[in-house]
Amino acid sequence: MAAKSAARADVEAFARQRFGSAPVTVYLDRTGSIAASFGVVYHPAFRFVTAQGRLQSRPVAGFPYR
């Protein structure tokens, strides 16, 4: 999730640098509601959810922390 002030090009460059060609979905949190829902106080933030949208406490296998 990216801050509401984030420029699309900056978000794309960050995702490409951190995740390479892995499929990644980035949400621009224009209202701050996503951050509030997940208790996030800064951006960028990683949150892992199941296909059903349930929050997971562990990263998915092979998550590239770079």
Side-chain angles (χ1 to χ4, degrees), residues 25-44:
T25 301
V26 176
Y27 297 94
L28 295 180
D29 192 12
R30 299 286 186 214
T31 64
S33 61
I34 298 172
S37 294
F38 287 124
V40 175
V41 295
Y42 62 89
H43 292 86

Side-chain angles (χ1 to χ4, degrees), residues 12-22 24 44 46 63-66:
E12 289 174 355
F14 177 87
R16 191 171 32 259
Q17 176 191 29
R18 297 287 179 143
F19 309 113
S21 62
V24 174
F46 306 118
F63 179 74
Y65 284 111
R66 286 193 253 168

